[in-house]
Amino acid sequence: MPRPRSDDKRAAIMTAATQIIAAQGLSAPTAAIAREAGVSNGSLFTYFSTKADLLNQLFLELKTEMGHAASAGLPADAEPRDQLEHLWKRWLDWATANPDKRRVLALLGVSDEVTPTTHTAAGRSMSGLAAVLEWSRAEGPMADEPLSFVLGLSNALAETTIDFMIREPEHAPAHSAAGFSALWRLLA
Amino acid sequence: MPRPRSDDKRAAIMTAATQIIAAQGLSAPTAAIAREAGVSNGSLFTYFSTKADLLNQLFLELKTEMGHAASAGLPADAEPRDQLEHLWKRWLDWATANPDKRRVLALLGVSDEVTPTTHTAAGRSMSGLAAVLEWSRAEGPMADEPLSFVLGLSNALAETTIDFMIREPEHAPAHSAAGFSALWRLLA
Amino acid sequence: MPRPRSDDKRAAIMTAATQIIAAQGLSAPTAAIAREAGVSNGSLFTYFSTKADLLNQLFLELKTEMGHAASAGLPADAEPRDQLEHLWKRWLDWATANPDKRRVLALLGVSDEVTPTTHTAAGRSMSGLAAVLEWSRAEGPMADEPLSFVLGLSNALAETTIDFMIREPEHAPAHSAAGFSALWRLLA
Amino acid sequence: MPRPRSDDKRAAIMTAATQIIAAQGLSAPTAAIAREAGVSNGSLFTYFSTKADLLNQLFLELKTEMGHAASAGLPADAEPRDQLEHLWKRWLDWATANPDKRRVLALLGVSDEVTPTTHTAAGRSMSGLAAVLEWSRAEGPMADEPLSFVLGLSNALAETTIDFMIREPEHAPAHSAAGFSALWRLLA
DNA sequence: CATGAATGAGCCTTCATTCAT
DNA sequence: GATGAATGAAGGCTCATTCAT
């Protein structure tokens, strides 16, 4: 598959898809996405062979972006708790700063359109987080659980905390702090 | 005295909707639901004025059923921890025993078709859980957080635990136990 | 076909049909008519075997009522012009006083649902008018035209005059007078 | 440069709509119109956003065509009576030569689907007729009536005459002549 | 006879995808 | 490669009519 001519257009479609899907849900017409992106109806399909393809790539891209945002500037020498808190804050900052992306990620996360393959690939973007989590829980009560389960529980706490931060922005810092201390109690 | 509206038929549509939506997602055709329920296409609309209406009632009904299942046989004199554990187990048992209902509940929970009004009404079915949670966290680190936030975090842990129990049934009891102890650490 | 039990119900359906059709057009659901009439959905069909049947009977009844309204109190000894003017006024009075009936008559008049048979039967209610018209035009320029044509032209003038009287009630008397003098010029 | 929108196709849909609606009434399915036009079901909606839109444009187009047909070759220097007679004949010729268009015009004229805006726009196509009428009635008994009323009455005579010409083609010329002389008596 | 639930054909419109230009 | 017209399957909902009660 030769890379299509314009990366700009591809990116424009991705951005447009995020906006439109955040606003209208996954059933948003591809035509609406194309219009928002400033490309034609048909062009969308030269960049993405099907709507499902677009959705899968979008999921992967957003999840990757989220993973990078969380990991940026991670203090490699710090204590596990400090590293984890760093990740937590960055993650939540990214999510609250990008509510559209966050919403789309949530929608895609439960959609059948996103294949297991994509989910697996997307999981890789959380490997930094996974490593810190692994380290953090090593001595604690979760030491013997499957890492994936611990990751899942941690993720659930983060998502919920994000929801409340978006819903009640005036208490966002308090929610973030309370969420993190809850996570730490859970792990260590 | 015409043929009276049949509760059986209404229930059959609800059951069919659960099965079909669990299998095909929320975009499942009403015709498929009607067929599965053994009623005509048009009959569905004498019981539910709209597909959205059906979805809202289904959400309410499933959530209520879940709430009842969790609360049944709650030992009113027991310690908070025992009461909470009772709720936790019943809840997770119901969810793992009814994966279709659970999946539909998850799909509807994030759908725009379900109105805020329905969400509010459905929330009432969790009041028993809320009360026990309130009591459980009273002396702990979450004492000063909004109850809704505590409820949200607890719910997130439960949902995640359920996911893993369904995905890895052989470890279901272990997941359930680990999830509960995590919850308790979070609260007390 | 034995006469159905209740003439009241039949009449209620007719009245309701007039109101509902005036408001919603000929595509108004039979269910809406039944509801307005205070009878059940199904009962309507014991009084009228089909919707088309209802429409035909309604047309006949309204046209007959209109004919009677026009002819009532006709001064049998008066000059043709006075008799015709009497008919004209009564007709227009009835129509402006009963805009719903008038509108329904207009809708049915151009509908395929109303059969030629019904049109023929309805035409009989205008026989009084036809006679006066026949007499009025006997010496005039329309003497040799088919009476039906003269009747049609006269009817057209009346309908148009009614339209304007309803649309501009403040000029209703002026329109009525102008319309009649135009008719008389046409005939004599 | 994609396939350009085709005027032919648009015209084909209009023609098909005229035929199908003349035969089946305004409730004719859009699918039948599309099939008759030789386009797909969906294509109809790239040319007309809505069935109502199609109906409005059809009304406007037919009425405009009728107005042009009536006015073509109008002898600008002739006497009012001759000009009016010219219009009358052309109008009736067009109508009797195009009974389908005429029928559709009649159906649309009383339909709620056609908006007041469309009616207003369509009225403009009769401005030539209006001018001649204005001139014709200037010295006569209708001199003081609103022009719209005079126009309405004239229109009514024309429509009725057309009906009879179509119904009894063998007397068409006689009806046309009688109708015109009636009109002239009405005006002058 | 009254009632209103049951039926299912039918309709308008949408939309992912294809393809002529 | 870009464009947007063309396609036609699909879906939610309506409604005249029938029929069980």
Side-chain angles (χ1 to χ4, degrees), chain A residues 28-100:
Chain A
T30 53
I33 295 170
R35 192 179 328 118
E36 175 74 23
V39 303
S40 77
N41 202 342
S43 272
L44 189 148
F45 290 91
T46 72
Y47 290 90
F48 305 93
S49 59
T50 65
K51 184 180 185 178
D53 180 32
L54 165 60
L55 262 21
N56 275 274
Q57 295 198 38
L58 183 58
F59 181 72
L60 194 50
E61 199 155 304
L62 290 177
K63 194 105 186 195
T64 302
E65 180 183 326
M66 190 177 82
H68 285 339
S71 305
L74 188 68
D77 321 318
E79 291 295 300
R81 189 190 152 111
D82 291 337
Q83 289 202 21
L84 189 60
E85 190 169 14
H86 181 272
L87 289 166
W88 177 268
K89 281 182 175 165
R90 298 276 184 152
W91 182 359
L92 271 60
D93 282 351
W94 180 87
T96 51
N98 298 280
D100 278 3

Side-chain angles (χ1 to χ4, degrees), chain B residues 5-18 21 30 33-34 37 39-62 108:
Chain B
R5 210 180 276 200
S6 150
D7 280 346
D8 282 359
K9 220 160 266 188
R10 207 195 95 101
I13 294 171
M14 285 289 200
T15 303
T18 304
I21 292 173
T30 53
I33 295 170
V39 302
S40 80
N41 210 324
S43 269
L44 189 149
F45 291 93
T46 73
Y47 289 89
F48 305 94
S49 59
T50 265
K51 185 180 184 181
D53 180 33
L54 165 61
L55 261 23
N56 274 273
Q57 295 199 38
L58 184 57
F59 181 70
L60 194 50
E61 203 154 301
L62 291 178
L108 289 171

Side-chain angles (χ1 to χ4, degrees), chain D residues 12 23 41 45 47 58 80 83 92 99 101 107 136 150-151 175 181:
Chain D
N41 209 325
F45 291 92
Y47 289 89
L58 183 58
Q83 288 202 21
L92 272 58
K101 292 179 179 176
L107 290 172
S136 298
V150 180
L151 198 50
H175 286 320
S181 78

Side-chain angles (χ1 to χ4, degrees), chain A:
Chain A
M1 180 173 61
R3 179 161 328 175
R5 187 74 71 70
S6 158
D7 277 350
D8 281 359
K9 270 183 195 169
R10 206 196 94 99
I13 293 171
M14 284 290 198
T15 303
T18 304
Q19 291 173 16
I20 297 288
I21 292 174
Q24 309 187 18
L26 290 176
S27 61
T30 53
I33 295 170
R35 192 179 328 118
E36 175 74 23
V39 303
S40 77
N41 202 342
S43 272
L44 189 148
F45 290 91
T46 72
Y47 290 90
F48 305 93
S49 59
T50 65
K51 184 180 185 178
D53 180 32
L54 165 60
L55 262 21
N56 275 274
Q57 295 198 38
L58 183 58
F59 181 72
L60 194 50
E61 199 155 304
L62 290 177
K63 194 105 186 195
T64 302
E65 180 183 326
M66 190 177 82
H68 285 339
S71 305
L74 188 68
D77 321 318
E79 291 295 300
R81 189 190 152 111
D82 291 337
Q83 289 202 21
L84 189 60
E85 190 169 14
H86 181 272
L87 289 166
W88 177 268
K89 281 182 175 165
R90 298 276 184 152
W91 182 359
L92 271 60
D93 282 351
W94 180 87
T96 51
N98 298 280
D100 278 3
K101 292 178 178 175
R102 206 259 154 178
R103 176 163 163 69
V104 172
L105 226 25
L107 289 172
L108 288 170
V110 298
S111 162
D112 308 311
E113 307 272 26
V114 177
T115 65
T117 308
T118 302
H119 273 285
T120 305
R124 270 191 284 273
S125 76
M126 303 305 265
S127 60
L129 175 61
V132 175
L133 222 46
E134 174 71 68
W135 189 19
S136 298
R137 64 95 177 236
E139 315 281 324
M142 292 305 237
D144 296 330
E145 300 302 321
L147 179 58
S148 64
F149 184 40
V150 179
L151 198 50
L153 292 174
S154 305
N155 183 64
L157 292 186
E159 295 292 349
T160 305
T161 305
I162 291 166
D163 283 341
F164 278 83
M165 289 171 74
I166 291 175
R167 209 180 307 161
E168 308 167 352
E170 66 279 16
H171 301 125
H175 285 322
S176 175
F180 180 72
S181 78
L183 171 63
W184 192 254
R185 247 172 290 135
L186 194 143
L187 295 172

Side-chain angles (χ1 to χ4, degrees), chain C residues 59-129:
Chain C
F59 181 72
L60 194 50
E61 199 154 306
L62 290 177
K63 194 105 186 196
T64 302
E65 178 183 327
M66 190 177 81
H68 284 338
S71 305
L74 188 68
D77 322 319
E79 291 295 299
R81 190 191 152 110
D82 292 336
Q83 287 202 21
L84 189 60
E85 189 168 14
H86 181 274
L87 289 167
W88 177 268
K89 281 182 175 162
R90 297 277 182 151
W91 182 358
L92 273 59
D93 282 350
W94 180 87
T96 50
N98 298 280
D100 277 3
K101 292 178 178 176
R102 208 259 154 179
R103 176 163 163 68
V104 172
L105 226 24
L107 289 172
L108 288 170
V110 299
S111 162
D112 309 309
E113 307 272 28
V114 176
T115 65
T117 309
T118 302
H119 273 286
T120 306
R124 270 191 283 275
S125 76
M126 303 305 265
S127 61
L129 174 60

Side-chain angles (χ1 to χ4, degrees), chain C residues 23-25 103 107 110 112 141-142 145-146 148-149 152-153 156-157 160-161 164 168 174-175 178-179 182-183 185-188, chain D residues 23-25 103 107 110 112 141-142 145-146 148-149 152-153 156-157 160-161 164 168 174-175 178-179 181-183 185-188:
Chain C
Q24 309 187 19
R103 176 163 163 68
L107 289 172
V110 299
D112 309 309
M142 290 306 236
E145 301 302 323
S148 64
F149 184 40
L153 293 174
L157 293 186
T160 305
T161 304
F164 277 83
E168 308 167 351
H175 285 321
L183 171 63
R185 247 173 290 134
L186 195 142
L187 293 173
Chain D
Q24 309 186 19
R103 173 160 167 69
L107 290 172
V110 298
D112 300 321
M142 290 307 235
E145 301 303 323
S148 64
F149 184 42
L153 293 174
L157 292 185
T160 305
T161 306
F164 277 83
E168 306 167 353
H175 286 320
S181 78
L183 171 63
R185 247 173 290 136
L186 193 144
L187 294 172

